[in-house]
Amino acid sequence: MSESNSTLFYAGITLASGLITDFLINRLNKKEIVEDVKPIRSLTLRKRSFVNSKQAPVPEALLNSENPLLDEIKFLNSATCDIERVNHLSLGLDDEFPNIKSPLLGEGNLRSVFGGGGFLPDDAFIYCGSYVINTAVFGPGKRIDQTKKWLRAGPRKSLFFDPKTVKAAIVTCGGLCPGLNVVIRELYMSLHYNYGVQDIYGIKYGYKGFYTYDWIKFDANYVKNIHNLGGTILGSSRGGFDLNKIVEAIVNHGINQVFCLGGDGTHGGVLELFKELRKRKLKISIVGIPKTIDNDIAIIDESFGFETAVEEAINAIKSAYVEANCAEYGVGLVRLMGRNAGFIAMSACNASRDAHVCLIPEFKFELYGDRGLLEYCYQRLKKKGTLVLVIAEGAGDAMLDYKVNVVETDASGNKKSQDVGVIVKDELTKYCKNKGMGITLKHIDPTYMIRTVPANPHDKIMCTQLAQNAVHGAMAGFSGFTVGHVNNRLAYIPIEELLSGKYSNRVVADSREWQRLLASTGQPSFLNNEEQMIQQKQQQQI
C-alpha cells in the first residue's frame, strides 16, 4: 500500500469511528429524553448476582433504595440473616440514621457505567446481602450451607459519616513488615481523594504515640512517594497500650476514624478500644488492618508482606547453596522468621528448590539418635558432600530431645528463645567432628534484611486493596472489624471472631504445600519412634 493510500485508509477509519460514536451518543440522549431522565441507578440496571452465584439477583427495590446502607444494616441484624454480623455505629444509638450520598457515585451516564474520573461504575458498589464464603472446597461432610459467611468488603452507595466531618488517625504497631508505607499512603489517598477528607493524622511509634508524641498532619506531598520505602514513616513499637489514655487522646483530637495496622496483639488492642468506645456511645469507627510477616493470622488467605518476605528469603537460600557447594563438606544454614508458623520457610524452600532439609514449628523432630536430624545430615554429607538447611525461628520449640531456654519476653509478651540456628549449627559441627568429618558451615540470618525491604508488586497491590476497603468500611459506619482476603475476595471480619480462638493458620501435615516440600527435599520425619507415635495417635482417634 502506497503512503497516500495508507493515509486515506486511516483517515477513513477515523471518520467511521467518529460517526459511530456520535450515533451511539445520540441514541443514548434520545433514550434519556423519552424516559424523562430517570435516576442514574435505573438507567444502568442489570441483573447482579451475589458472590455466591446460586443466590437470586439483588431485588430492584434494593437497587433503587433511598438509603441502601440503612437497608443493609437492618438486614444484617435481622433473624433471617446468616452473614457474620459486623458491628455498626448506629446500633444502640438513638440518633436518626444519616443518609449521605457517596461521592464515588458518578453523575454522567457513561461515567456511571464505565467508571473513571474518580467515580465508580454501578456494579462496583456492594449491595445488601453480599457475602464471601469461608471455605472454597467442599466434599463429603462439608456443605456450603455449613460454612461461615463474611460480609463482603467494598464501597457503599450511601455513607454513615459525612466526609466533611471526618478526622482520621493511622497507627502502625509491632514489628516491621514490607508494605506498611503502602497501606499508610493508600489510607490517606482513599480518604482524601475518594471521599474528600481533609484531616488525616499519623501516630508515631505505635499505641503509645497517641498520648506520648505530637501527631503528624498528613498531606499529599508527605505520603506520595513513601510506597517505595521499606519500614514505616510513622515508626513502630510493641506494647504501650493504655486504654484510657488512648481513648482520651482520640476524643480530645476530635478523631472519628482510627486505622490500626498490626498483628494479633494489635487487634487485641483494637477490640478493647472498640468496646470502650461503644460503652461510651461514641461515634468513632476503629478498624484493624492485619499485618504479620509470618502469615499466621487466622481466617484470611494471606498477610501483606509475606510474598515479599518469601522472595527475599529465596536470595538467602541461594547464598547458602553457593556457600555449601564451594566447600568440602559444605553446609549452608538459613534461619528464617516464623515464631509459631513455618509458612515463610516452607514457601521459600518450595520456590527455591535448593533446600535439603526444612524445619518448622508445626512438626516435632529429634536431634539425636539413628533417625534423628544430626545423623541424617552426617549421612547426606558423607554421600553428597553438601547440605542446605532452612530452619524457622520457632522450630526450637519442636525439638523433643533438646531443651530450648527462653532468653527474654518482649513488650508484646512474646517469648524470645535461644536461636535455633545457633543450636543446630553447634550441635551439627560437634556431631560431625566426633565422627571424623570436618564441615564448613555458614550460618545466614537474613531476618532484618527481609523485614525492612519495600513491598514487591504483589504486596503493593494487596496493601492498596486492604487500605481502600478499610476506608470504605469505616465511611459506612462499620467498626471493630478487620479487612482481609478470604478465598481471594475481600471481606470484613469482626475482630471478636478473629480472636475467638476458633480459628488458626498453621502449616498442616496433609496440606499440598507441605507434601510438595517433602517430595522436593526427600527428608524423613527425624523421629526415632515414628511408628509408635503413629499408633498412639490412631488409638486416640478411635
Side-chain angles (χ1 to χ4, degrees), residues 35 55 91 159 207 267-268 285 305 308 332 339 346 349 355 360 378 386 419 509:
E35 295 182 0
Q55 285 281 348
L91 303 178
L159 308 177
Y207 277 132
H267 278 72
S285 176
T308 305
R339 184 186 302 114
M346 178 184 68
C349 289
I360 61 177
Y378 168 74
T386 184
D419 189 332

Side-chain angles (χ1 to χ4, degrees), residues 141-428:
K142 292 183 179 180
R143 302 200 313 271
I144 193 169
D145 59 340
Q146 295 173 328
T147 190
K148 283 278 187 182
K149 299 179 178 66
W150 308 110
L151 181 64
R152 193 177 185 194
R156 269 63 181 172
K157 284 193 171 184
S158 55
L159 308 177
F160 184 81
F161 283 104
D162 183 346
K164 297 185 183 67
T165 66
V166 170
K167 285 188 174 183
I170 303 167
V171 63
T172 54
C173 305
L176 297 182
C177 175
L180 285 168
N181 281 329
V182 184
V183 178
I184 294 169
R185 180 187 190 272
E186 297 309 321
L187 285 171
Y188 174 85
M189 294 296 183
S190 187
L191 284 164
H192 183 67
Y193 288 106
N194 288 345
Y195 288 99
V197 177
Q198 299 299 316
D199 297 318
I200 306 166
Y201 297 89
I203 310 302
K204 295 191 289 187
Y205 303 116
Y207 277 132
K208 68 180 180 182
F210 278 100
Y211 55 86
T212 303
Y213 301 103
D214 293 334
W215 295 16
I216 301 171
K217 177 71 179 293
F218 281 154
D219 58 35
N221 287 329
Y222 197 99
V223 303
K224 67 179 181 180
N225 293 319
I226 65 173
H227 59 297
N228 295 317
L229 304 175
T232 163
I233 59 166
L234 294 175
S236 188
S237 69
R238 301 184 186 276
F241 184 83
D242 188 311
L243 180 62
N244 291 325
K245 286 184 179 180
I246 293 173
V247 171
E248 291 304 318
I250 290 172
V251 172
N252 292 338
H253 280 81
I255 299 297
N256 50 18
Q257 291 185 13
V258 183
F259 300 92
C260 302
L261 287 63
D264 287 337
T266 302
H267 278 72
V270 173
L271 182 57
E272 292 302 311
L273 287 168
F274 165 73
K275 290 178 179 178
E276 182 64 22
L277 295 171
R278 182 174 59 181
K279 178 181 174 182
R280 300 190 189 192
K281 294 188 176 182
L282 297 172
K283 292 183 181 179
I284 300 174
S285 176
I286 183 160
V287 181
I289 300 177
K291 180 263 327 173
T292 170
I293 202 168
D294 293 347
N295 197 39
D296 59 353
I297 291 181
I299 300 174
I300 63 174
D301 296 344
E302 191 174 280
S303 304
F304 73 83
F306 171 70
E307 293 286 346
T308 305
V310 171
E311 187 176 294
E312 293 298 314
I314 291 171
N315 293 329
I317 296 174
K318 287 179 182 177
S319 297
Y321 182 83
V322 172
E323 290 285 356
N325 280 275
C326 292
E328 184 181 17
Y329 299 125
V331 179
L333 190 157
V334 181
R335 184 265 203 186
L336 295 174
M337 292 162 289
R339 184 186 302 114
N340 299 309
F343 288 106
I344 293 178
M346 178 184 68
S347 298
C349 289
N350 274 333
S352 73
R353 320 303 288 178
D354 288 331
H356 305 123
V357 174
C358 179
L359 304 173
I360 61 177
E362 288 88 342
F363 305 117
K364 303 294 183 183
F365 67 96
E366 293 173 282
L367 279 179
Y368 309 106
D370 292 340
R371 298 167 72 177
L373 173 67
L374 300 181
E375 178 63 19
Y376 177 84
C377 292
Y378 168 74
Q379 291 296 335
R380 177 181 170 82
L381 284 166
K382 186 177 178 181
K383 182 178 180 180
K384 300 286 188 178
T386 184
L387 174 68
V388 176
L389 297 98
V390 176
I391 308 176
E393 65 176 299
D397 294 333
M399 290 192 292
L400 296 175
D401 53 357
Y402 190 102
K403 180 174 175 56
V404 177
N405 297 319
V406 176
V407 179
E408 59 179 315
T409 302
D410 65 24
S412 297
N414 300 311
K415 295 180 180 179
K416 289 187 175 182
S417 302
Q418 290 175 270
D419 189 332
V420 65
V422 174
I423 293 172
V424 173
K425 170 191 171 184
D426 293 343
E427 293 300 311
L428 181 59

